[in-house]
Amino acid sequence: MLRRRESFFKFSVYLFLLFLSSNQAHSMELSKEVINSLDEGLNNVNPYILKAVQNGGMSPLIDSPKWIKKELSVEHELDGFIQTDQGHSLDCWIYSYEQLLSRPVRMSNENLKEFSFSRVFIRFWDQLERVNFTLDNIQEFAFAQKDLSSKRRDELMVLLNPKEIDAGSFNTFRAIVKKYGIVPIDSMPEKKFSKKTSPVSTLIKNRVFFHGLKLYDLAKNSSGQVTDQMKELKTTALQEVYTLLVAYYGKPPEKVNLSKDLRGTLYPESSENIVLSPLELLKKVDEVHQLELDEYVNLMLFPEAKNLEHVRLLNEEQGMVNGEELDFINVHLNGHQRDEIYNSIRKALKASDVVFFAGNVFPHFDREKGMLAPENDLSEDLFSFSPLPENSKVRSYFHQRVNYGHAMIFTGCDDGEVVKKFNPNTLKVELTPGLFKLKNSWGETSENIYATHAYLDKYMDNIVIKKKYIPEYIQNVFNENNPKEYFWFSDYLKDNL
């Protein structure tokens, strides 16, 4: 079944041509007079503020006495997480979701408090599956399109140039792990290019384009049948990509010899060496620590999609791994549902269950303090306008070409939206906005981040949480059969832009 990511490209071309056509007759040259008028516009801004910002002496992010970095805290906090650094990769989703697997192992043995499973192992198989999935899509597209109009050529180019080859979701992560298993990080450790993935991804995409174009030509003339020549071409493509992955990331182990501490955690009665396959290791970790991977559900939080509220939907990667359904439900983060979603997150955290976040972390982000808070941002006061994005979530996604945003882990929360806390600046207990604590994967400088409800309202796009914590009427939607075949970025953009 053809997955229609091509709508991104179609909309981009359409908007660009619209922009050109609408501006040709009314273009404005950057003449000296225009530039002088821009200079005059600076009269609205205090020149001392501009100088202070230039010299690094002032930031639009105020140093509010309510939030002093060393005093930041939440009333309920999970433990068992470790500091990670994804480097210059786009693997925030792997770095975040892997902690769901390794956290219970760390908490079970003091000698394993820095333990993790290999993230490179997961990335390796994810990349190979994505290439296979993309080639299948190109083949199906060719079966359906015998003659290419200019519009269809654009769609083919999108398939041949997959933009989201590094991105992923919890559903994809779960499907990869269930198919291939897990291995300890020392069995397949980080490599130079596992934290700088762009060069490898470029090489992979080049092979997809080269072989995908040939595959398209073969498939369009095959009368809808998969020929031996097509199979051979696809095998060659997969072999080349597999070779690249092994060269840059290493070969995934077929067996792992458990360390003494890991063996003691999983097999406390045994003193013998134990060798397991990656799938056997996953099964044993699940048996001992009750991972409950299938209990987690994916909620998208897009209030603009009024026609898609409480509808079980399939995402773009539907069927990518073992034909597994990759579904989610769109929930509007407003009205009574807003409070219900936040209460669901708090309920899970208080029960020591992990909740995952995805969203845009760049607006209002004070890296020095580790804060995500619109209340902490004076951009509009400083510049007389807000330079931050004010688009709806869907428009922001479309223009930024983001998949599911940046993934992090909820690791703590306050009891409510407004709580009483001691203010070390005034030495008094005062009302202050309640916070959520997030575990990031950007190394020591941005390891822990605190977010206000005002930030989450605007920029949180997706949560992954155990089904039992969400309202029953939303749980029931996941139990329905025959989800709507609605591809998030193509169909949604088409219907809502």
Side-chain angles (χ1 to χ4, degrees), residues 67 72 364-366 369-373 376 435 449-450 452:
W67 296 307
L72 286 172
H364 314 297
F365 185 23
D366 185 340
K369 185 171 289 186
M371 282 292 298
L372 288 165
N376 214 30
L435 300 174
I449 296 175
Y450 293 83
T452 63

Side-chain angles (χ1 to χ4, degrees), residues 98 101-102 105 115-118 121-122 125 173 176-185 187 253-256 258 262 266 276-286 291 293:
E98 181 279 330
L101 309 176
S102 57
V105 177
F115 174 84
S116 66
F117 291 106
S118 172
F121 180 84
I122 297 168
W125 293 118
F173 174 89
I176 292 289
V177 166
K178 288 170 66 176
K179 179 175 180 178
Y180 293 101
I182 52 179
V183 300
I185 193 168
S187 297
E254 297 178 9
K255 296 285 184 179
V256 292
L258 302 190
L262 186 55
L266 300 178
L276 301 176
S277 71
L279 276 172
E280 289 170 338
L281 179 56
L282 173 66
K283 182 179 179 181
K284 188 60 181 180
V285 173
D286 189 26
L291 298 175
L293 291 177

Side-chain angles (χ1 to χ4, degrees), residues 232-249:
E232 183 179 346
L233 179 62
K234 187 176 176 184
T235 299
T236 299
L238 291 173
Q239 178 62 65
E240 291 180 3
V241 170
Y242 185 82
T243 301
L244 289 172
L245 291 171
V246 170
Y248 285 98
Y249 300 143

Side-chain angles (χ1 to χ4, degrees), residues 107-150:
M107 295 178 69
S108 67
N109 189 323
E110 180 66 22
N111 294 330
L112 294 171
K113 60 183 180 181
E114 295 298 321
F115 174 84
S116 66
F117 291 106
S118 172
R119 296 170 283 266
V120 184
F121 180 84
I122 297 168
R123 175 178 176 78
F124 184 104
W125 293 118
D126 171 75
Q127 293 290 279
L128 195 64
E129 288 283 359
R130 285 177 189 276
V131 169
N132 184 57
F133 182 66
T134 300
L135 293 173
D136 281 346
N137 284 341
I138 292 170
Q139 180 176 284
E140 293 299 319
F141 181 86
F143 287 159
Q145 309 295 332
K146 296 301 180 186
D147 299 312
L148 283 183
S149 62
S150 59

Side-chain angles (χ1 to χ4, degrees), residues 13 19 52 87 106 159 184-185 209 301 358 398 447:
V13 172
F19 171 80
R106 288 191 293 270
L159 289 172
I185 193 168
F209 187 92
L301 307 170
F398 170 64
E447 177 185 3

Side-chain angles (χ1 to χ4, degrees), residues 196-343:
K196 189 178 180 180
T197 56
S198 178
V200 185
S201 297
T202 299
L203 292 175
I204 291 174
K205 287 189 280 189
N206 286 342
R207 304 324 296 158
V208 169
F209 187 92
F210 178 78
H211 292 293
L213 199 55
K214 290 184 175 181
L215 181 62
Y216 172 81
D217 287 336
L218 290 175
K220 74 177 182 180
N221 297 313
S222 68
S223 302
Q225 301 297 316
V226 178
T227 65
D228 290 341
Q229 194 174 5
M230 290 163 60
K231 291 178 182 178
E232 183 179 346
L233 179 62
K234 187 176 176 184
T235 299
T236 299
L238 291 173
Q239 178 62 65
E240 291 180 3
V241 170
Y242 185 82
T243 301
L244 289 172
L245 291 171
V246 170
Y248 285 98
Y249 300 143
K251 191 174 184 298
E254 297 178 9
K255 296 285 184 179
V256 292
N257 193 341
L258 302 190
S259 68
K260 178 181 177 181
D261 290 320
L262 186 55
R263 185 182 71 231
T265 297
L266 300 178
Y267 297 90
E269 305 301 323
S270 176
S271 59
E272 301 292 329
N273 285 339
I274 295 178
V275 178
L276 301 176
S277 71
L279 276 172
E280 289 170 338
L281 179 56
L282 173 66
K283 182 179 179 181
K284 188 60 181 180
V285 173
D286 189 26
E287 175 189 319
V288 173
H289 295 295
Q290 289 81 51
L291 298 175
E292 299 183 312
L293 291 177
D294 290 330
E295 294 303 309
Y296 285 84
V297 293
N298 205 326
L299 300 183
M300 300 297 285
L301 307 170
F302 280 73
E304 298 97 333
K306 301 188 187 308
N307 60 320
L308 294 179
E309 185 176 21
H310 303 159
V311 177
R312 183 175 167 221
L313 307 168
L314 303 178
N315 80 3
E316 298 281 351
E317 297 160 356
Q318 171 65 14
M320 186 179 89
V321 184
N322 276 355
E324 185 162 331
E325 285 189 347
L326 307 178
D327 60 349
F328 60 91
I329 290 176
N330 185 48
V331 178
H332 294 182
L333 196 62
N334 50 29
H336 70 93
Q337 287 189 153
R338 173 185 180 275
D339 295 335
E340 290 176 339
I341 294 301
Y342 285 134
N343 286 335

